[in-house]
PDB file of all heavy atoms in Angstrom:
ATOM      1  N   GLU A   1     128.333  90.719  96.585  1.00  0.00           N
ATOM      2  CA  GLU A   1     127.858  92.101  96.656  1.00  0.00           C
ATOM      3  C   GLU A   1     126.410  92.199  96.129  1.00  0.00           C
ATOM      4  O   GLU A   1     125.955  91.247  95.501  1.00  0.00           O
ATOM      5  CB  GLU A   1     128.725  92.949  95.720  1.00  0.00           C
ATOM      6  CG  GLU A   1     130.147  93.107  96.150  1.00  0.00           C
ATOM      7  CD  GLU A   1     130.906  93.936  95.195  1.00  0.00           C
ATOM      8  OE1 GLU A   1     130.931  93.686  93.991  1.00  0.00           O
ATOM      9  OE2 GLU A   1     131.500  94.941  95.698  1.00  0.00           O
ATOM     10  N   GLY A   2     125.722  93.278  96.435  1.00  0.00           N
ATOM     11  CA  GLY A   2     124.434  93.518  95.850  1.00  0.00           C
ATOM     12  C   GLY A   2     124.554  94.414  94.596  1.00  0.00           C
ATOM     13  O   GLY A   2     125.500  95.131  94.539  1.00  0.00           O
ATOM     14  N   GLN A   3     123.592  94.272  93.761  1.00  0.00           N
ATOM     15  CA  GLN A   3     123.522  95.162  92.562  1.00  0.00           C
ATOM     16  C   GLN A   3     122.323  96.111  92.715  1.00  0.00           C
ATOM     17  O   GLN A   3     121.567  96.034  93.688  1.00  0.00           O
ATOM     18  CB  GLN A   3     123.360  94.273  91.300  1.00  0.00           C
ATOM     19  CG  GLN A   3     124.688  93.752  90.724  1.00  0.00           C
ATOM     20  CD  GLN A   3     125.319  92.717  91.636  1.00  0.00           C
ATOM     21  OE1 GLN A   3     124.645  91.766  92.063  1.00  0.00           O
ATOM     22  NE2 GLN A   3     126.535  92.865  91.922  1.00  0.00           N
ATOM     23  N   PHE A   4     122.100  96.926  91.737  1.00  0.00           N
ATOM     24  CA  PHE A   4     121.060  97.946  91.801  1.00  0.00           C
ATOM     25  C   PHE A   4     119.966  97.686  90.770  1.00  0.00           C
ATOM     26  O   PHE A   4     119.416  98.602  90.254  1.00  0.00           O
ATOM     27  CB  PHE A   4     121.655  99.351  91.620  1.00  0.00           C
ATOM     28  CG  PHE A   4     122.469  99.737  92.854  1.00  0.00           C
ATOM     29  CD1 PHE A   4     123.856  99.577  92.902  1.00  0.00           C
ATOM     30  CD2 PHE A   4     121.799 100.224  93.956  1.00  0.00           C
ATOM     31  CE1 PHE A   4     124.554  99.925  94.034  1.00  0.00           C
ATOM     32  CE2 PHE A   4     122.549 100.575  95.127  1.00  0.00           C
ATOM     33  CZ  PHE A   4     123.905 100.387  95.108  1.00  0.00           C
ATOM     34  N   ASP A   5     119.696  96.410  90.491  1.00  0.00           N
ATOM     35  CA  ASP A   5     118.610  96.026  89.633  1.00  0.00           C
ATOM     36  C   ASP A   5     117.502  95.468  90.505  1.00  0.00           C
ATOM     37  O   ASP A   5     117.613  94.428  91.054  1.00  0.00           O
ATOM     38  CB  ASP A   5     119.089  94.952  88.646  1.00  0.00           C
ATOM     39  CG  ASP A   5     117.947  94.487  87.814  1.00  0.00           C
ATOM     40  OD1 ASP A   5     116.910  95.157  87.661  1.00  0.00           O
ATOM     41  OD2 ASP A   5     118.073  93.345  87.212  1.00  0.00           O
ATOM     42  N   ALA A   6     116.446  96.313  90.693  1.00  0.00           N
ATOM     43  CA  ALA A   6     115.395  95.904  91.653  1.00  0.00           C
ATOM     44  C   ALA A   6     114.078  95.605  90.954  1.00  0.00           C
ATOM     45  O   ALA A   6     113.052  95.523  91.683  1.00  0.00           O
ATOM     46  CB  ALA A   6     115.212  97.141  92.578  1.00  0.00           C
ATOM     47  N   ALA A   7     114.041  95.418  89.676  1.00  0.00           N
ATOM     48  CA  ALA A   7     112.816  95.351  88.957  1.00  0.00           C
ATOM     49  C   ALA A   7     111.851  94.223  89.519  1.00  0.00           C
ATOM     50  O   ALA A   7     110.580  94.462  89.450  1.00  0.00           O
ATOM     51  CB  ALA A   7     113.112  95.093  87.496  1.00  0.00           C
ATOM     52  N   SER A   8     112.384  93.164  90.025  1.00  0.00           N
ATOM     53  CA  SER A   8     111.467  92.092  90.398  1.00  0.00           C
ATOM     54  C   SER A   8     111.142  92.113  91.915  1.00  0.00           C
ATOM     55  O   SER A   8     110.430  91.248  92.416  1.00  0.00           O
ATOM     56  CB  SER A   8     112.119  90.760  90.074  1.00  0.00           C
ATOM     57  OG  SER A   8     113.332  90.575  90.822  1.00  0.00           O
ATOM     58  N   ASN A   9     111.615  93.063  92.648  1.00  0.00           N
ATOM     59  CA  ASN A   9     111.354  93.152  94.034  1.00  0.00           C
ATOM     60  C   ASN A   9     110.206  94.112  94.375  1.00  0.00           C
ATOM     61  O   ASN A   9     109.976  95.071  93.683  1.00  0.00           O
ATOM     62  CB  ASN A   9     112.639  93.615  94.819  1.00  0.00           C
ATOM     63  CG  ASN A   9     113.695  92.572  94.816  1.00  0.00           C
ATOM     64  OD1 ASN A   9     113.476  91.408  95.075  1.00  0.00           O
ATOM     65  ND2 ASN A   9     114.905  93.019  94.513  1.00  0.00           N
ATOM     66  N   ALA A  10     109.540  93.769  95.459  1.00  0.00           N
ATOM     67  CA  ALA A  10     108.518  94.650  96.014  1.00  0.00           C
ATOM     68  C   ALA A  10     109.097  95.401  97.257  1.00  0.00           C
ATOM     69  O   ALA A  10     109.855  94.767  98.037  1.00  0.00           O
ATOM     70  CB  ALA A  10     107.302  93.889  96.400  1.00  0.00           C
ATOM     71  N   PHE A  11     108.774  96.649  97.433  1.00  0.00           N
ATOM     72  CA  PHE A  11     109.274  97.425  98.531  1.00  0.00           C
ATOM     73  C   PHE A  11     108.134  98.130  99.248  1.00  0.00           C
ATOM     74  O   PHE A  11     107.154  98.538  98.603  1.00  0.00           O
ATOM     75  CB  PHE A  11     110.239  98.477  98.005  1.00  0.00           C
ATOM     76  CG  PHE A  11     111.481  97.917  97.422  1.00  0.00           C
ATOM     77  CD1 PHE A  11     111.528  97.575  96.048  1.00  0.00           C
ATOM     78  CD2 PHE A  11     112.644  97.711  98.167  1.00  0.00           C
ATOM     79  CE1 PHE A  11     112.653  97.015  95.450  1.00  0.00           C
ATOM     80  CE2 PHE A  11     113.777  97.138  97.584  1.00  0.00           C
ATOM     81  CZ  PHE A  11     113.746  96.786  96.246  1.00  0.00           C
ATOM     82  N   ALA A  12     108.255  98.237 100.555  1.00  0.00           N
ATOM     83  CA  ALA A  12     107.334  99.070 101.349  1.00  0.00           C
ATOM     84  C   ALA A  12     108.092 100.239 101.925  1.00  0.00           C
ATOM     85  O   ALA A  12     109.305 100.142 102.356  1.00  0.00           O
ATOM     86  CB  ALA A  12     106.756  98.218 102.495  1.00  0.00           C
ATOM     87  N   ILE A  13     107.433 101.381 101.990  1.00  0.00           N
ATOM     88  CA  ILE A  13     107.955 102.564 102.582  1.00  0.00           C
ATOM     89  C   ILE A  13     106.979 103.024 103.651  1.00  0.00           C
ATOM     90  O   ILE A  13     105.811 103.160 103.443  1.00  0.00           O
ATOM     91  CB  ILE A  13     108.153 103.710 101.568  1.00  0.00           C
ATOM     92  CG1 ILE A  13     108.927 103.255 100.358  1.00  0.00           C
ATOM     93  CG2 ILE A  13     108.732 104.929 102.208  1.00  0.00           C
ATOM     94  CD1 ILE A  13     108.944 104.272  99.216  1.00  0.00           C
ATOM     95  N   VAL A  14     107.490 103.111 104.885  1.00  0.00           N
ATOM     96  CA  VAL A  14     106.711 103.605 106.022  1.00  0.00           C
ATOM     97  C   VAL A  14     107.054 105.057 106.308  1.00  0.00           C
ATOM     98  O   VAL A  14     108.284 105.368 106.507  1.00  0.00           O
ATOM     99  CB  VAL A  14     106.851 102.768 107.282  1.00  0.00           C
ATOM    100  CG1 VAL A  14     105.918 103.164 108.393  1.00  0.00           C
ATOM    101  CG2 VAL A  14     106.667 101.231 106.965  1.00  0.00           C
ATOM    102  N   VAL A  15     106.081 105.929 106.296  1.00  0.00           N
ATOM    103  CA  VAL A  15     106.321 107.347 106.364  1.00  0.00           C
ATOM    104  C   VAL A  15     105.625 107.959 107.578  1.00  0.00           C
ATOM    105  O   VAL A  15     104.415 107.761 107.797  1.00  0.00           O
ATOM    106  CB  VAL A  15     105.768 108.015 105.075  1.00  0.00           C
ATOM    107  CG1 VAL A  15     105.987 109.480 105.051  1.00  0.00           C
ATOM    108  CG2 VAL A  15     106.308 107.402 103.834  1.00  0.00           C
ATOM    109  N   SER A  16     106.392 108.678 108.322  1.00  0.00           N
ATOM    110  CA  SER A  16     105.879 109.448 109.501  1.00  0.00           C
ATOM    111  C   SER A  16     105.180 110.694 108.969  1.00  0.00           C
ATOM    112  O   SER A  16     105.769 111.462 108.180  1.00  0.00           O
ATOM    113  CB  SER A  16     107.024 109.767 110.434  1.00  0.00           C
ATOM    114  OG  SER A  16     106.616 110.775 111.303  1.00  0.00           O
ATOM    115  N   ARG A  17     104.022 111.006 109.483  1.00  0.00           N
ATOM    116  CA  ARG A  17     103.315 112.243 109.119  1.00  0.00           C
ATOM    117  C   ARG A  17     103.882 113.453 109.900  1.00  0.00           C
ATOM    118  O   ARG A  17     103.774 114.556 109.442  1.00  0.00           O
ATOM    119  CB  ARG A  17     101.843 112.103 109.416  1.00  0.00           C
ATOM    120  CG  ARG A  17     101.085 111.143 108.567  1.00  0.00           C
ATOM    121  CD  ARG A  17      99.580 111.245 108.779  1.00  0.00           C
ATOM    122  NE  ARG A  17      98.862 110.185 108.140  1.00  0.00           N
ATOM    123  CZ  ARG A  17      98.541 110.170 106.878  1.00  0.00           C
ATOM    124  NH1 ARG A  17      98.848 111.193 106.088  1.00  0.00           N
ATOM    125  NH2 ARG A  17      97.809 109.176 106.354  1.00  0.00           N
ATOM    126  N   TRP A  18     104.539 113.200 111.066  1.00  0.00           N
ATOM    127  CA  TRP A  18     105.142 114.299 111.782  1.00  0.00           C
ATOM    128  C   TRP A  18     106.288 114.889 111.005  1.00  0.00           C
ATOM    129  O   TRP A  18     107.080 114.168 110.407  1.00  0.00           O
ATOM    130  CB  TRP A  18     105.624 113.762 113.150  1.00  0.00           C
ATOM    131  CG  TRP A  18     105.892 114.833 114.150  1.00  0.00           C
ATOM    132  CD1 TRP A  18     107.102 115.339 114.433  1.00  0.00           C
ATOM    133  CD2 TRP A  18     104.937 115.567 114.935  1.00  0.00           C
ATOM    134  NE1 TRP A  18     107.008 116.312 115.403  1.00  0.00           N
ATOM    135  CE2 TRP A  18     105.646 116.521 115.682  1.00  0.00           C
ATOM    136  CE3 TRP A  18     103.564 115.558 115.018  1.00  0.00           C
ATOM    137  CZ2 TRP A  18     105.025 117.388 116.599  1.00  0.00           C
ATOM    138  CZ3 TRP A  18     102.966 116.385 115.891  1.00  0.00           C
ATOM    139  CH2 TRP A  18     103.657 117.283 116.666  1.00  0.00           C
ATOM    140  N   ASN A  19     106.406 116.241 111.035  1.00  0.00           N
ATOM    141  CA  ASN A  19     107.433 116.915 110.272  1.00  0.00           C
ATOM    142  C   ASN A  19     107.321 116.659 108.763  1.00  0.00           C
ATOM    143  O   ASN A  19     108.272 116.479 108.056  1.00  0.00           O
ATOM    144  CB  ASN A  19     108.856 116.611 110.753  1.00  0.00           C
ATOM    145  CG  ASN A  19     109.130 117.189 112.116  1.00  0.00           C
ATOM    146  OD1 ASN A  19     108.715 118.256 112.430  1.00  0.00           O
ATOM    147  ND2 ASN A  19     109.837 116.376 112.895  1.00  0.00           N
ATOM    148  N   SER A  20     106.043 116.644 108.289  1.00  0.00           N
ATOM    149  CA  SER A  20     105.788 116.264 106.879  1.00  0.00           C
ATOM    150  C   SER A  20     106.448 117.191 105.925  1.00  0.00           C
ATOM    151  O   SER A  20     106.654 116.821 104.779  1.00  0.00           O
ATOM    152  CB  SER A  20     104.262 116.217 106.644  1.00  0.00           C
ATOM    153  OG  SER A  20     103.689 117.458 106.842  1.00  0.00           O
ATOM    154  N   PHE A  21     106.727 118.425 106.278  1.00  0.00           N
ATOM    155  CA  PHE A  21     107.363 119.414 105.390  1.00  0.00           C
ATOM    156  C   PHE A  21     108.799 118.894 104.992  1.00  0.00           C
ATOM    157  O   PHE A  21     109.265 119.241 103.917  1.00  0.00           O
ATOM    158  CB  PHE A  21     107.449 120.773 105.969  1.00  0.00           C
ATOM    159  CG  PHE A  21     108.426 120.947 107.165  1.00  0.00           C
ATOM    160  CD1 PHE A  21     109.691 121.360 106.988  1.00  0.00           C
ATOM    161  CD2 PHE A  21     107.987 120.522 108.472  1.00  0.00           C
ATOM    162  CE1 PHE A  21     110.543 121.500 108.072  1.00  0.00           C
ATOM    163  CE2 PHE A  21     108.813 120.630 109.508  1.00  0.00           C
ATOM    164  CZ  PHE A  21     110.124 121.097 109.323  1.00  0.00           C
ATOM    165  N   VAL A  22     109.356 118.023 105.730  1.00  0.00           N
ATOM    166  CA  VAL A  22     110.657 117.387 105.469  1.00  0.00           C
ATOM    167  C   VAL A  22     110.412 115.981 104.983  1.00  0.00           C
ATOM    168  O   VAL A  22     111.006 115.569 103.986  1.00  0.00           O
ATOM    169  CB  VAL A  22     111.506 117.385 106.730  1.00  0.00           C
ATOM    170  CG1 VAL A  22     112.777 116.533 106.512  1.00  0.00           C
ATOM    171  CG2 VAL A  22     111.950 118.810 107.143  1.00  0.00           C
ATOM    172  N   VAL A  23     109.586 115.197 105.637  1.00  0.00           N
ATOM    173  CA  VAL A  23     109.429 113.826 105.302  1.00  0.00           C
ATOM    174  C   VAL A  23     108.816 113.632 103.925  1.00  0.00           C
ATOM    175  O   VAL A  23     109.175 112.679 103.225  1.00  0.00           O
ATOM    176  CB  VAL A  23     108.626 113.098 106.387  1.00  0.00           C
ATOM    177  CG1 VAL A  23     108.429 111.636 106.116  1.00  0.00           C
ATOM    178  CG2 VAL A  23     109.291 113.289 107.783  1.00  0.00           C
ATOM    179  N   ASP A  24     107.935 114.498 103.521  1.00  0.00           N
ATOM    180  CA  ASP A  24     107.371 114.375 102.151  1.00  0.00           C
ATOM    181  C   ASP A  24     108.437 114.382 101.120  1.00  0.00           C
ATOM    182  O   ASP A  24     108.385 113.696 100.104  1.00  0.00           O
ATOM    183  CB  ASP A  24     106.306 115.493 101.892  1.00  0.00           C
ATOM    184  CG  ASP A  24     105.022 115.293 102.666  1.00  0.00           C
ATOM    185  OD1 ASP A  24     104.837 114.204 103.336  1.00  0.00           O
ATOM    186  OD2 ASP A  24     104.230 116.233 102.713  1.00  0.00           O
ATOM    187  N   LYS A  25     109.442 115.201 101.293  1.00  0.00           N
ATOM    188  CA  LYS A  25     110.599 115.312 100.370  1.00  0.00           C
ATOM    189  C   LYS A  25     111.421 114.018 100.437  1.00  0.00           C
ATOM    190  O   LYS A  25     111.944 113.590  99.376  1.00  0.00           O
ATOM    191  CB  LYS A  25     111.507 116.509 100.676  1.00  0.00           C
ATOM    192  CG  LYS A  25     110.775 117.827 100.566  1.00  0.00           C
ATOM    193  CD  LYS A  25     110.449 118.123  99.083  1.00  0.00           C
ATOM    194  CE  LYS A  25     109.918 119.520  99.009  1.00  0.00           C
ATOM    195  NZ  LYS A  25     109.391 119.740  97.684  1.00  0.00           N
ATOM    196  N   LEU A  26     111.546 113.395 101.640  1.00  0.00           N
ATOM    197  CA  LEU A  26     112.267 112.086 101.747  1.00  0.00           C
ATOM    198  C   LEU A  26     111.491 111.055 100.906  1.00  0.00           C
ATOM    199  O   LEU A  26     112.125 110.246 100.208  1.00  0.00           O
ATOM    200  CB  LEU A  26     112.379 111.682 103.115  1.00  0.00           C
ATOM    201  CG  LEU A  26     113.241 112.530 104.125  1.00  0.00           C
ATOM    202  CD1 LEU A  26     113.141 112.063 105.497  1.00  0.00           C
ATOM    203  CD2 LEU A  26     114.682 112.627 103.612  1.00  0.00           C
ATOM    204  N   LEU A  27     110.189 111.049 101.021  1.00  0.00           N
ATOM    205  CA  LEU A  27     109.380 110.112 100.289  1.00  0.00           C
ATOM    206  C   LEU A  27     109.540 110.298  98.753  1.00  0.00           C
ATOM    207  O   LEU A  27     109.698 109.318  98.029  1.00  0.00           O
ATOM    208  CB  LEU A  27     107.897 110.227 100.651  1.00  0.00           C
ATOM    209  CG  LEU A  27     106.916 109.303  99.884  1.00  0.00           C
ATOM    210  CD1 LEU A  27     107.259 107.841 100.022  1.00  0.00           C
ATOM    211  CD2 LEU A  27     105.462 109.620 100.353  1.00  0.00           C
ATOM    212  N   GLU A  28     109.496 111.524  98.347  1.00  0.00           N
ATOM    213  CA  GLU A  28     109.748 111.842  96.906  1.00  0.00           C
ATOM    214  C   GLU A  28     111.073 111.244  96.445  1.00  0.00           C
ATOM    215  O   GLU A  28     111.120 110.628  95.397  1.00  0.00           O
ATOM    216  CB  GLU A  28     109.686 113.298  96.650  1.00  0.00           C
ATOM    217  CG  GLU A  28     108.351 113.961  96.732  1.00  0.00           C
ATOM    218  CD  GLU A  28     108.352 115.469  96.602  1.00  0.00           C
ATOM    219  OE1 GLU A  28     109.351 115.989  96.021  1.00  0.00           O
ATOM    220  OE2 GLU A  28     107.405 116.134  97.075  1.00  0.00           O
ATOM    221  N   GLY A  29     112.099 111.426  97.267  1.00  0.00           N
ATOM    222  CA  GLY A  29     113.421 110.896  96.896  1.00  0.00           C
ATOM    223  C   GLY A  29     113.451 109.395  96.855  1.00  0.00           C
ATOM    224  O   GLY A  29     114.033 108.819  95.919  1.00  0.00           O
ATOM    225  N   ALA A  30     112.824 108.710  97.884  1.00  0.00           N
ATOM    226  CA  ALA A  30     112.782 107.278  97.833  1.00  0.00           C
ATOM    227  C   ALA A  30     112.017 106.717  96.645  1.00  0.00           C
ATOM    228  O   ALA A  30     112.483 105.793  95.974  1.00  0.00           O
ATOM    229  CB  ALA A  30     112.159 106.761  99.131  1.00  0.00           C
ATOM    230  N   LEU A  31     110.882 107.280  96.345  1.00  0.00           N
ATOM    231  CA  LEU A  31     110.094 106.875  95.196  1.00  0.00           C
ATOM    232  C   LEU A  31     110.881 107.057  93.924  1.00  0.00           C
ATOM    233  O   LEU A  31     110.882 106.203  92.982  1.00  0.00           O
ATOM    234  CB  LEU A  31     108.740 107.577  95.132  1.00  0.00           C
ATOM    235  CG  LEU A  31     107.779 107.290  96.237  1.00  0.00           C
ATOM    236  CD1 LEU A  31     106.571 108.208  96.211  1.00  0.00           C
ATOM    237  CD2 LEU A  31     107.316 105.755  96.122  1.00  0.00           C
ATOM    238  N   ASP A  32     111.575 108.244  93.773  1.00  0.00           N
ATOM    239  CA  ASP A  32     112.381 108.494  92.564  1.00  0.00           C
ATOM    240  C   ASP A  32     113.463 107.459  92.445  1.00  0.00           C
ATOM    241  O   ASP A  32     113.701 106.897  91.355  1.00  0.00           O
ATOM    242  CB  ASP A  32     112.966 109.882  92.709  1.00  0.00           C
ATOM    243  CG  ASP A  32     113.813 110.241  91.480  1.00  0.00           C
ATOM    244  OD1 ASP A  32     113.334 110.047  90.326  1.00  0.00           O
ATOM    245  OD2 ASP A  32     114.935 110.735  91.665  1.00  0.00           O
ATOM    246  N   GLY A  33     114.142 107.102  93.542  1.00  0.00           N
ATOM    247  CA  GLY A  33     115.196 106.082  93.475  1.00  0.00           C
ATOM    248  C   GLY A  33     114.693 104.743  93.080  1.00  0.00           C
ATOM    249  O   GLY A  33     115.322 104.072  92.276  1.00  0.00           O
ATOM    250  N   LEU A  34     113.581 104.319  93.671  1.00  0.00           N
ATOM    251  CA  LEU A  34     113.071 102.989  93.312  1.00  0.00           C
ATOM    252  C   LEU A  34     112.620 102.941  91.830  1.00  0.00           C
ATOM    253  O   LEU A  34     112.950 102.036  91.126  1.00  0.00           O
ATOM    254  CB  LEU A  34     111.849 102.640  94.227  1.00  0.00           C
ATOM    255  CG  LEU A  34     112.170 102.426  95.670  1.00  0.00           C
ATOM    256  CD1 LEU A  34     110.930 102.251  96.477  1.00  0.00           C
ATOM    257  CD2 LEU A  34     113.095 101.260  95.864  1.00  0.00           C
ATOM    258  N   ARG A  35     111.914 104.025  91.391  1.00  0.00           N
ATOM    259  CA  ARG A  35     111.478 104.047  90.000  1.00  0.00           C
ATOM    260  C   ARG A  35     112.629 104.030  89.067  1.00  0.00           C
ATOM    261  O   ARG A  35     112.657 103.386  88.000  1.00  0.00           O
ATOM    262  CB  ARG A  35     110.610 105.329  89.743  1.00  0.00           C
ATOM    263  CG  ARG A  35     109.245 105.210  90.427  1.00  0.00           C
ATOM    264  CD  ARG A  35     108.525 106.516  90.275  1.00  0.00           C
ATOM    265  NE  ARG A  35     107.267 106.541  90.984  1.00  0.00           N
ATOM    266  CZ  ARG A  35     106.825 107.589  91.731  1.00  0.00           C
ATOM    267  NH1 ARG A  35     107.602 108.689  91.817  1.00  0.00           N
ATOM    268  NH2 ARG A  35     105.767 107.527  92.373  1.00  0.00           N
ATOM    269  N   ARG A  36     113.661 104.794  89.294  1.00  0.00           N
ATOM    270  CA  ARG A  36     114.829 104.926  88.405  1.00  0.00           C
ATOM    271  C   ARG A  36     115.585 103.624  88.352  1.00  0.00           C
ATOM    272  O   ARG A  36     116.295 103.419  87.349  1.00  0.00           O
ATOM    273  CB  ARG A  36     115.770 105.986  88.911  1.00  0.00           C
ATOM    274  CG  ARG A  36     115.306 107.423  88.617  1.00  0.00           C
ATOM    275  CD  ARG A  36     116.297 108.442  89.179  1.00  0.00           C
ATOM    276  NE  ARG A  36     115.810 109.757  89.070  1.00  0.00           N
ATOM    277  CZ  ARG A  36     116.216 110.625  88.104  1.00  0.00           C
ATOM    278  NH1 ARG A  36     117.140 110.249  87.234  1.00  0.00           N
ATOM    279  NH2 ARG A  36     115.712 111.834  88.080  1.00  0.00           N
ATOM    280  N   HIS A  37     115.364 102.728  89.250  1.00  0.00           N
ATOM    281  CA  HIS A  37     116.079 101.434  89.289  1.00  0.00           C
ATOM    282  C   HIS A  37     115.127 100.297  88.910  1.00  0.00           C
ATOM    283  O   HIS A  37     115.391  99.101  89.202  1.00  0.00           O
ATOM    284  CB  HIS A  37     116.749 101.218  90.609  1.00  0.00           C
ATOM    285  CG  HIS A  37     117.959 102.062  90.664  1.00  0.00           C
ATOM    286  ND1 HIS A  37     117.934 103.398  91.107  1.00  0.00           N
ATOM    287  CD2 HIS A  37     119.283 101.764  90.441  1.00  0.00           C
ATOM    288  CE1 HIS A  37     119.191 103.878  91.051  1.00  0.00           C
ATOM    289  NE2 HIS A  37     119.975 102.961  90.641  1.00  0.00           N
ATOM    290  N   GLY A  38     114.057 100.617  88.206  1.00  0.00           N
ATOM    291  CA  GLY A  38     113.205  99.606  87.585  1.00  0.00           C
ATOM    292  C   GLY A  38     112.040  99.046  88.427  1.00  0.00           C
ATOM    293  O   GLY A  38     111.412  98.084  87.949  1.00  0.00           O
ATOM    294  N   VAL A  39     111.799  99.631  89.564  1.00  0.00           N
ATOM    295  CA  VAL A  39     110.672  99.118  90.395  1.00  0.00           C
ATOM    296  C   VAL A  39     109.371  99.689  89.886  1.00  0.00           C
ATOM    297  O   VAL A  39     109.205 100.883  89.757  1.00  0.00           O
ATOM    298  CB  VAL A  39     110.887  99.493  91.856  1.00  0.00           C
ATOM    299  CG1 VAL A  39     109.723  98.935  92.693  1.00  0.00           C
ATOM    300  CG2 VAL A  39     112.222  98.950  92.417  1.00  0.00           C
ATOM    301  N   ALA A  40     108.458  98.755  89.553  1.00  0.00           N
ATOM    302  CA  ALA A  40     107.116  99.160  89.030  1.00  0.00           C
ATOM    303  C   ALA A  40     106.272  99.749  90.145  1.00  0.00           C
ATOM    304  O   ALA A  40     106.423  99.352  91.285  1.00  0.00           O
ATOM    305  CB  ALA A  40     106.439  97.960  88.391  1.00  0.00           C
ATOM    306  N   GLU A  41     105.418 100.658  89.749  1.00  0.00           N
ATOM    307  CA  GLU A  41     104.505 101.301  90.768  1.00  0.00           C
ATOM    308  C   GLU A  41     103.778 100.283  91.579  1.00  0.00           C
ATOM    309  O   GLU A  41     103.588 100.442  92.762  1.00  0.00           O
ATOM    310  CB  GLU A  41     103.514 102.203  90.033  1.00  0.00           C
ATOM    311  CG  GLU A  41     104.094 103.436  89.373  1.00  0.00           C
ATOM    312  CD  GLU A  41     104.555 104.489  90.387  1.00  0.00           C
ATOM    313  OE1 GLU A  41     103.928 104.668  91.448  1.00  0.00           O
ATOM    314  OE2 GLU A  41     105.536 105.144  90.099  1.00  0.00           O
ATOM    315  N   GLU A  42     103.307  99.214  90.947  1.00  0.00           N
ATOM    316  CA  GLU A  42     102.520  98.202  91.617  1.00  0.00           C
ATOM    317  C   GLU A  42     103.386  97.366  92.644  1.00  0.00           C
ATOM    318  O   GLU A  42     102.801  96.676  93.458  1.00  0.00           O
ATOM    319  CB  GLU A  42     101.773  97.261  90.736  1.00  0.00           C
ATOM    320  CG  GLU A  42     102.668  96.472  89.758  1.00  0.00           C
ATOM    321  CD  GLU A  42     102.936  97.208  88.426  1.00  0.00           C
ATOM    322  OE1 GLU A  42     102.644  98.362  88.275  1.00  0.00           O
ATOM    323  OE2 GLU A  42     103.428  96.494  87.558  1.00  0.00           O
ATOM    324  N   ASN A  43     104.678  97.524  92.597  1.00  0.00           N
ATOM    325  CA  ASN A  43     105.566  96.831  93.527  1.00  0.00           C
ATOM    326  C   ASN A  43     106.017  97.793  94.681  1.00  0.00           C
ATOM    327  O   ASN A  43     106.989  97.445  95.363  1.00  0.00           O
ATOM    328  CB  ASN A  43     106.770  96.293  92.803  1.00  0.00           C
ATOM    329  CG  ASN A  43     106.439  95.093  91.979  1.00  0.00           C
ATOM    330  OD1 ASN A  43     105.401  94.398  92.230  1.00  0.00           O
ATOM    331  ND2 ASN A  43     107.177  94.759  91.002  1.00  0.00           N
ATOM    332  N   ILE A  44     105.384  98.931  94.794  1.00  0.00           N
ATOM    333  CA  ILE A  44     105.676  99.896  95.936  1.00  0.00           C
ATOM    334  C   ILE A  44     104.469 100.140  96.728  1.00  0.00           C
ATOM    335  O   ILE A  44     103.405 100.458  96.184  1.00  0.00           O
ATOM    336  CB  ILE A  44     106.198 101.213  95.321  1.00  0.00           C
ATOM    337  CG1 ILE A  44     107.452 101.028  94.408  1.00  0.00           C
ATOM    338  CG2 ILE A  44     106.533 102.195  96.491  1.00  0.00           C
ATOM    339  CD1 ILE A  44     107.896 102.308  93.621  1.00  0.00           C
ATOM    340  N   THR A  45     104.581  99.918  98.020  1.00  0.00           N
ATOM    341  CA  THR A  45     103.549 100.192  98.970  1.00  0.00           C
ATOM    342  C   THR A  45     104.002 101.289  99.924  1.00  0.00           C
ATOM    343  O   THR A  45     105.077 101.186 100.422  1.00  0.00           O
ATOM    344  CB  THR A  45     103.188  98.967  99.800  1.00  0.00           C
ATOM    345  OG1 THR A  45     102.731  97.941  98.910  1.00  0.00           O
ATOM    346  CG2 THR A  45     102.112  99.257 100.797  1.00  0.00           C
TER     347      THR A  45
END
């Protein structure tokens, strides 16, 4: 199984600008999830 300790991993998020009124909220959620599970800002693109 996988665990939810992501501190040592780097993640990329690709965001569509179309429908940004919705997608911006998805990005906020993804960033919140990564940060809450130990991913450092410098490991997020």
